[in-house]
Amino acid sequence: QAALTGMGQLGDASTVTPLVAAMSNKADRPTIRQSIARLKGNGVDKALITALGSAQPPIRVEIAAVLNTRDARTAADTMLKLASDDEDPAVRKEAIKALGALADSKMCPKIVELMGKAKKSSELRGIVNAIIIIARNSPQAQAAEITTMLGEKFQSAKDARTKSAILIVAGGIGNSGSLKILRTAVKTSDLAVRTAAIRAMAAWTTA
């Protein structure tokens, strides 16, 4: 493990391939994650993104996690694709988590679209949390744009599950546009959606 640690201190983009290959040993993965997170130089993030293409699911999880740790914003589109299309639930979960840190407000409409694809409730919660994090970390004007988009998505959504998830996001963002969405939703005839709106408003101290 000392050698793996040293590779992180002295390596560069060319070190990514051997470090990823070494992840086949599960016991070494925590050390390797730390080493890759410390790698410096141009091309490291690009090499990690490339490695995703041929990696097995457990390794894809590790790469997604380390890209998140590295704050690799260039990986946001790749994380979105993994979150949408990867067949492995653990990979999707890690990619969704990374989106909250790596994606910007312009990606939020596509992240909202993931709600309809979520196969597990844990994935849906992850999507909700990712959008809330992005909005809270965005300038006020961009957060307002996100809530405007959420209002449009709420109106166009066909199922109560997606509508309810959007309401949770709105409550988590907590701006004036969000409150408008919730006040509209409490008037809906769908009991599940109305209940979600009431709960979100009840948790909102300024509502």
Side-chain angles (χ1 to χ4, degrees):
Q1 290 196 343
L4 295 173
T5 300
M7 291 173 75
Q9 295 171 340
L10 303 174
D12 54 20
S14 66
T15 315
V16 169
T17 297
L19 282 173
V20 169
M23 283 183 173
S24 59
N25 185 343
K26 187 175 181 179
D28 287 336
R29 288 175 190 170
T31 301
I32 295 170
R33 275 201 308 271
Q34 294 175 5
S35 292
I36 295 176
R38 287 195 295 266
L39 287 177
K40 297 180 180 179
N42 295 328
V44 173
D45 294 341
K46 183 177 180 180
L48 287 167
I49 293 169
T50 300
L52 282 167
S54 58
Q56 294 298 309
I59 309 304
R60 293 203 296 276
V61 171
E62 298 290 338
I63 295 173
V66 79
L67 283 166
N68 189 354
T69 300
R70 290 178 59 83
D71 195 30
R73 301 302 177 99
T74 56
D77 286 336
T78 302
M79 294 300 103
L80 182 65
K81 182 172 177 56
L82 288 179
S84 174
D85 300 335
D86 202 284
E87 296 181 359
D88 189 276
V91 176
R92 294 195 302 271
K93 182 178 179 180
E94 195 64 43
I96 290 167
K97 180 179 178 181
L99 281 172
L102 305 181
D104 59 20
S105 61
K106 294 180 181 178
M107 294 187 70
C108 282
K110 293 182 178 179
I111 299 174
V112 171
E113 291 174 6
L114 294 177
M115 291 178 177
K117 293 185 175 182
K119 296 181 174 66
K120 294 185 175 182
S121 58
S122 59
E123 287 182 28
L124 187 58
R125 286 195 300 271
I127 294 164
V128 165
N129 290 335
I131 301 170
I132 292 172
I133 291 169
I134 294 167
R136 288 180 175 176
N137 290 335
S138 297
Q140 187 174 356
Q142 292 180 10
E145 291 175 359
I146 292 173
T147 50
T148 296
M149 176 273 298
L150 289 172
E152 295 168 353
K153 294 287 187 182
F154 177 81
Q155 294 297 334
S156 63
K158 303 300 183 183
D159 61 290
R161 181 173 181 255
T162 298
K163 284 181 176 290
S164 297
I166 290 172
L167 294 176
I168 296 171
V169 175
I173 295 173
N175 59 14
S176 59
S178 297
L179 188 56
K180 182 179 179 180
I181 295 171
L182 297 179
R183 285 175 170 164
T184 298
V186 295
K187 301 174 184 177
T188 185
S189 59
D190 188 300
L191 178 59
V193 175
R194 190 166 69 247
T195 300
I198 293 170
R199 287 176 176 171
M201 291 186 72
W204 192 328
T205 57
T206 60

